[in-house]
Amino acid sequence: MDLGIKDKVALVLGAGGGLGGAIATALAAEGAKVAVADIDPQAAARTAEAVVAAGGKALALPWDLADLGAIDGHIGRIEAELGPVDILVNNTGGPPPTPASGQPAETWRKFFDSMVLPVYAITDRVLPGMRERGWGRIITSTSSGVIAPIPNLGISNSLRLAIVGWSKTLAREVGKDGVTVNIVLPGRIATDRIQFLDEARAKRENRSVESVSAESTASIPVGRYGKPEEYGSVVAFLASQQASYLTGSTLRVDGGFIQSI
């Protein structure tokens, strides 16, 4: 299927990691020009190489999302080298495992400033152009914790819900302008982040990582962790011409893991 996004310009945040990198390469395989943003310059460069190998044009951007003052400069460079942003994929890193109680105000503020506020601010920077052109895609990758809160991920569960409320509200505001706004939730996708969480749980419960992973796998109806490229393919579809009537939604890519309806 031709997704109809050849030569569209995509900005993928957090693109140096497993999910972000898979999203960037999936978009590139459809002919998109991809700006690869990540706080780690080497990780951004690796994904940019993968984007080119997949058939797309890439621009690697070392980008600390917590630095809101850098937004105009980065977006300006994308516009100059690739063109105006048509597809924005908001993908931010997650905080460390913590309970919801007893966290200092400074900790909440730190992760709000790096996980949540940049999503709002970067979207506001590219949204006017999308509305003027009558076409745009804003896709935000969050966590299954916004539907079924994950134990010991108190900060993540809480802050990511702020993004879900914002996304749903925004979808109603810009739908008539040809801009869709959606949330994508990963389940247990085989990335470094999931490996880190499995290791943290194993240490907390004095168990082996293998037993933690086996227990998680047993709770997934399809019987395995997902592949990053499977997640990337779903995001690429949301960016497509064919998905123009899909907005304001929260889509689970979890192998049936989340038990709620």
Side-chain angles (χ1 to χ4, degrees):
M1 179 186 294
D2 179 0
L3 298 186
I5 56 174
K6 181 177 172 57
D7 293 327
K8 294 289 188 184
V9 176
L11 167 57
V12 182
L13 306 180
L19 293 182
I23 292 166
T25 53
L27 293 170
E30 293 296 323
K33 296 179 282 187
V34 186
V36 176
D38 199 274
I39 194 170
D40 182 344
Q42 293 181 337
R46 286 193 298 270
T47 298
E49 292 175 358
V51 164
V52 172
K57 183 177 181 180
L59 171 63
L61 289 172
W63 191 336
D64 180 357
L65 296 181
D67 183 5
L68 300 185
I71 292 175
D72 278 342
H74 286 312
I75 299 298
R77 184 179 172 191
I78 295 168
E79 291 171 340
E81 297 190 29
L82 299 180
V85 175
D86 302 298
I87 301 163
L88 172 61
V89 180
N90 293 308
N91 176 51
T92 64
T98 62
S101 62
Q103 303 307 313
E106 293 76 15
T107 300
W108 287 104
R109 185 176 296 111
K110 172 186 176 181
F111 288 106
F112 181 83
D113 288 348
S114 63
M115 288 174 53
V116 180
L117 196 54
V119 170
Y120 302 164
I122 294 170
T123 300
D124 280 347
R125 174 61 176 78
V126 301
L127 185 59
M130 292 180 180
R131 300 177 84 171
E132 289 174 7
R133 296 189 298 277
W135 199 96
R137 301 288 185 265
I138 299 167
I139 304 162
T140 304
S141 177
T142 58
S143 163
S144 62
V146 303
I147 291 180
I150 301 169
N152 208 48
L153 285 184
I155 294 176
S156 177
N157 296 336
S158 304
L159 294 184
R160 293 187 195 277
L161 271 167
I163 294 176
V164 175
W166 161 86
S167 182
K168 183 66 173 180
T169 305
L170 183 63
R172 295 185 65 86
E173 295 175 356
V174 301
K176 291 183 179 179
D177 301 318
V179 180
T180 66
V181 188
N182 291 292
I183 292 283
V184 190
L185 307 180
R188 307 291 292 181
I189 310 293
T191 62
D192 289 344
R193 169 71 174 173
I194 290 298
Q195 178 68 20
F196 167 75
L197 293 176
D198 282 353
E199 290 173 353
R201 182 182 172 193
K203 183 177 181 180
R204 190 170 65 250
E205 298 178 0
N206 194 26
R207 300 168 55 188
S208 69
V209 175
E210 291 75 18
S211 70
V212 169
S213 298
E215 184 178 286
S216 293
T217 300
S219 67
I220 302 171
V222 300
R224 62 176 176 84
Y225 283 11
K227 301 175 184 177
E229 54 267 31
E230 292 174 316
Y231 191 78
S233 295
V234 172
V235 175
F237 174 74
L238 286 176
S240 71
Q241 299 285 0
Q242 290 88 335
S244 61
Y245 201 61
L246 203 170
T247 194
S249 295
T250 299
L251 187 61
R252 312 172 190 196
V253 186
D254 67 346
F257 172 71
I258 303 170
Q259 295 187 23
S260 64
I261 294 174

